[in-house]
Each structure stands twice: as structure tokens, then as C-alpha cells.
């Protein structure tokens, strides 16, 4: 294996074109077999369903070089299932879950020289996505679709080490009651862009959204689930029908219960409870855990673990899960898929 000539330790979290990507097309009621191709250009009608009515969904996962030199990916079967759920809600054809996993592994294998070496902090990020490709002028689902998987080497989410971030409670909504908050639809992210830019302009890294019905219960941010630690070391995470089921959060819950022996609660969390937590973190594929140092709720501020570093419980959770991903710690059966 001959790695590409990249400055692996100084990669940013940004797109770099790689050699191959997977493309499959849905036409006349069925998917074709799909191919790996060098062509990175997408050509669609000016009236394609995705351009008119935002009929698209996506996923995100990573491939890693482990401590012993293997190349692996982490729980792609859950990404396949989540995309299937997204497609059903958006009236898009489901791409077979087993074929989804195989396509992910094939893309990694075809771009094996772009998988960063162990110890650099970098990984290979995979972005599976699907969109309506045929012309649609009336408000209805497209008749044809394209499913693609691209990959790109990315640097660590935190350059220079993990530092706690400052977030705010938002007055805006991320999702509607009984809407699309629990699927990974592109439209969910489009509607959050104005608010994240405003948050950055106001000195915050992210927005924490409250439940859209009462604006009293903690939900999630625009791109990550939220987890908390109580004074007695209990892991608490919000439960709601409008929260995206994060694969990282579900994995951290398993790590907490089964590896660290922690008590875990998945329940509604009223914003008034923020004063009772000693640690807070945002969890997702990109960073695994982003420690939160401070949450601002208008005229109130809540500081966690002094606001200067990741707390001890979050550190254990982070080290254990990344240890599994990097092969330093044995993972539960079925979590790690090796590329051979």
C-alpha cells in the first residue's frame, strides 16, 4: 500500500477529491448494480426533484487505520438503516442495506491510499447521499434517483487539541413537531444555516434547540446530539421524536453502560436542569465528543467543569470509543468492519 503524498498531520476538515466514488441509479422502478467511477461530476436536469423540492438525504461515517495497521470502518450498518428510514419518509426508494455497506467498503478499498496513517489524527470521511434526479415541476416525488458515496481525507475536528466550546439556547426551531427532525434530510440542515451563521457572529460555536412544541426541553444542536453528566456520575441524554438518532450517541450510551459501568438515562431534559449537570458534550461523527464549556440561555449562563477543559467522564467516554475505532480497545461484536 502506497499512501498519497499528503501532509496528513495538517489536513483540515475539508473536501479533497479522491480517486473513486460509487454511483447507482434508480430508474423504471429498480436500482442498477452501481459502479465505482473516476468521474466526480453530477449531471442532472435543471428541473431535477432535488433542485425543486429538496428531495435528498445523506449520511456520514469514517474509515480509520488502526494501531495494528488494519483499515476499518465503524458501524456502517447503522448508517444504512438510518438512510433507509430517511428515504421512506421522503418518498425515495430505499437502497438495499447490505449493498449500502458493501458499497461503503468498496469505496474505502478503492481509495485505500487516501486513508490517513495511524497516529496522524486524520481519517477518511465517507458521505453517502441520495437525491431525486429526474425532472419534477408539480409537487410530487421524482421518478428517478441517484445514490452516491464520496470520500475525502480529513484532519481532526479540533486542531491543536480538544477545547470546550460555548453554545447558546436558540429561540428558533430545528424541526417541526411530527416533522423530519428524526431523519437525516438535507432540508433540516438548510434551515439551520441562517441560525448557525448568526450564532457564530454572536460568538457562539453552536445552537442548542429546544423542543418545538413547548420550548422548554433540550433537544440537540444543528449537527450533533447532546449528552450530560450529573454530579453523581450518571450519563443523561435527551429523548424526543424530533431528535436525529446519532450513531455516535448510541455507541457512547453502550460504552457508558457496558464498559464504564455507568447509569444512563434517556429522557426528557427540562432546560431548568442545566444547573444540575457538571459536564456537557455534543456528540457526532466529526468530533466524536465536543466538550461544552458554557451554555448561554439569554441572561443565564451555565458553566461545565470550569469551562476550560473536557471533564473526566467525557474524557473516559471519548478515549474508550476512539480506542475502539482505532483498534486500541476491543469493540463489541459487529461494530468494526475491516476492509480487506
Amino acid at each position: 500500500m502506497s499512501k498519497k503524498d499528503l501532509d496528513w498531520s495538517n489536513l483540515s476538515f475539508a473536501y479533497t477529491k479522491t480517486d473513486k466514488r460509487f454511483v447507482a441509479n434508480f430508474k423504471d422502478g429498480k436500482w442498477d448494480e452501481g459502479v465505482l467511477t473516476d468521474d466526480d461530476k453530477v449531471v442532472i436536469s435543471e428541473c431535477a426533484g432535488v433542485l425543486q423540492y429538496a428531495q435528498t438525504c445523506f449520511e456520514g461515517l469514517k474509515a480509520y487505520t488502526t494501531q495494528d495497521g488494519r483499515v476499518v470502518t465503524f458501524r456502517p450498518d447503522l448508517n444504512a438503516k438510518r438512510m433507509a428510514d430517511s428515504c421512506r419518509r421522503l418518498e425515495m426508494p430505499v437502497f438495499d442495506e447490505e449493498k449500502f455497506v458493501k458499497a461503503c467498503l468498496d469505496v474505502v478499498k478503492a481509495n485505500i491510499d487516501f486513508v490517513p496513517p495511524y497516529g496522524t489524527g486524520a481519517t477518511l470521511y465517507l458521505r453517502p447521499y441520495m437525491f431525486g434526479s429526474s425532472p419534477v415541476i408539480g409537487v410530487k416525488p421524482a421518478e428517478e434517483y441517484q445514490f452516491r458515496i464520496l470520500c475525502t481525507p480529513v484532519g481532526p475536528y479540533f486542531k491543536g487539541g480538544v477545547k470546550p466550546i460555548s453554545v447558546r439556547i436558540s429561540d428558533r426551531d430545528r424541526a417541526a413537531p411530527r416533522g423530519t427532525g428524526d431523519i437525516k434530510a438535507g432540508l433540516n440542515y438548510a434551515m439551520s444555516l441562517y441560525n448557525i451563521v448568526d450564532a457564530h457572529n454572536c460568538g457562539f460555536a453552536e445552537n442548542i434547540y429546544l423542543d418545538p412544541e413547548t420550548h422548554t426541553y433540550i433537544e440537540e444542536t444543528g449537527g450533533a446530539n447532546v449528552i450530560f453528566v450529573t454530579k453523581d456520575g450518571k450519563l443523561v441524554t435527551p429523548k424526543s421524536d424530533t431528535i436525529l438518532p446519532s450513531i455516535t450517541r448510541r455507541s457512547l450510551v453502550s460504552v457508558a453502560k457496558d464498559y464504564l459501568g455507568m447509569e444512563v438515562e434517556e429522557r426528557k431534559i427540562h432546560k431548568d436542569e442545566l444547573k444540575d449537570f457538571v459536564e456537557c458534550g455534543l456528540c457526532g461523527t466529526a468530533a466524536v465528543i465536543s466538550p461544552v464549556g458554557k451554555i448561554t440561555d439569554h441572561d443565564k449562563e451555565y458553566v461545565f467543569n470550569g469551562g476550560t477543559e473536557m471533564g473526566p467522564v467525557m474524557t473516559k467516554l471519548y478515549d474508550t470509543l476512539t480506542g475502539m475505532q482505532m483498534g486500541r480497545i476491543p469493540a463489541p461484536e459487529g461494530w468494526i468492519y475491516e476492509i480487506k
Side-chain angles (χ1 to χ4, degrees):
M1 183 167 67
S2 175
K3 293 292 183 188
K4 296 292 182 178
D5 185 19
L6 298 175
D7 186 1
W8 300 108
S9 296
N10 290 302
L11 288 177
S12 61
F13 199 85
Y15 173 74
T16 298
K17 180 183 173 183
T18 52
D19 291 340
K20 299 285 186 180
R21 64 276 311 137
F22 178 83
V23 182
N25 290 284
F26 181 88
K27 187 175 182 180
D28 299 327
K30 62 181 181 181
W31 286 103
D32 63 22
E33 288 302 306
V35 296
L36 289 168
T37 176
D38 330 359
D39 189 359
D40 64 326
K41 300 297 185 289
V42 178
V43 180
I44 52 176
S45 165
E46 64 182 350
C47 198
V50 62
L51 302 178
Q52 307 307 316
Y53 304 117
Q55 202 179 12
T56 180
C57 60
F58 69 98
E59 281 297 322
L61 63 156
K62 289 179 176 180
Y64 315 81
T65 301
T66 63
Q67 190 174 37
D68 59 2
R70 294 175 298 133
V71 174
V72 304
T73 189
F74 184 73
R75 309 191 79 177
D77 55 316
L78 296 188
N79 294 95
K81 181 183 184 305
R82 190 169 63 181
M83 175 166 265
D85 291 341
S86 297
C87 289
R88 292 186 187 99
R89 184 76 64 81
L90 296 171
E91 283 297 325
M92 301 168 72
V94 171
F95 193 77
D96 180 82
E97 293 181 30
E98 290 187 5
K99 290 182 178 179
F100 176 106
V101 172
K102 182 180 184 303
C104 286
L105 302 183
D106 288 347
V107 167
V108 176
K109 188 172 183 178
N111 294 283
I112 201 78
D113 294 345
F114 284 96
V115 180
Y118 176 79
T120 60
T123 55
L124 186 72
Y125 185 85
L126 277 73
R127 170 55 59 83
Y129 59 108
M130 188 190 299
F131 54 88
S133 55
S134 59
V136 179
I137 198 67
V139 182
K140 61 180 182 179
E143 295 181 355
E144 298 176 5
Y145 296 84
Q146 192 166 102
F147 171 64
R148 302 176 70 98
I149 305 174
L150 64 83
C151 67
T152 180
V154 295
Y157 196 77
F158 295 107
K159 281 287 187 183
V162 178
K163 296 180 178 65
I165 59 175
S166 178
V167 302
R168 71 177 181 184
I169 298 289
S170 177
D171 290 325
R172 294 182 176 273
D173 290 332
R174 174 189 162 271
R178 294 166 291 280
T180 57
D182 61 334
I183 63 171
K184 207 165 175 66
L187 59 91
N188 293 346
Y189 296 80
M191 67 184 290
S192 73
L193 295 178
Y194 172 88
N195 208 23
I196 190 64
V197 170
D198 183 65
H200 291 167
N201 289 339
C202 293
F204 299 99
E206 251 291 8
N207 298 287
I208 289 183
Y209 294 96
L210 302 176
D211 73 289
E213 288 189 291
T214 71
H215 274 231
T216 55
Y217 293 99
I218 301 292
E219 293 244 306
E220 64 173 312
T221 70
N225 282 186
V226 188
I227 55 177
F228 298 98
V229 177
T230 63
K231 294 173 184 176
D232 57 356
K234 184 187 302 177
L235 184 69
V236 183
T237 182
K239 186 175 184 179
S240 166
D241 292 337
T242 48
I243 292 176
L244 183 73
S246 163
I247 294 164
T248 302
R249 180 190 57 79
R250 283 180 279 174
S251 301
L252 287 168
V253 164
S254 294
V255 165
K257 288 179 179 177
D258 303 331
Y259 283 75
L260 302 181
M262 294 174 60
E263 186 178 347
V264 176
E265 288 185 353
E266 298 179 66
R267 60 171 175 81
K268 284 188 171 184
I269 301 174
H270 197 283
K271 67 173 186 174
D272 289 347
E273 293 184 66
L274 288 173
K275 66 182 183 302
D276 301 326
F277 299 121
V278 295
E279 296 183 41
C280 176
L282 311 183
C283 56
T285 299
V288 182
I289 296 178
S290 305
V292 173
K294 182 171 68 175
I295 295 177
T296 299
D297 181 12
H298 300 86
D299 58 343
K300 298 178 181 177
E301 288 187 349
Y302 303 92
V303 177
F304 304 94
N305 196 54
T308 58
E309 59 185 7
M310 183 183 281
V313 176
M314 294 290 175
T315 299
K316 283 183 184 177
L317 288 166
Y318 178 87
D319 289 346
T320 304
L321 187 57
T322 56
M324 291 173 178
Q325 293 169 337
M326 295 294 179
R328 297 187 294 267
I329 299 172
E333 185 175 355
W335 281 24
I336 301 298
Y337 287 65
E338 185 175 353
I339 287 78
K340 298 179 179 178

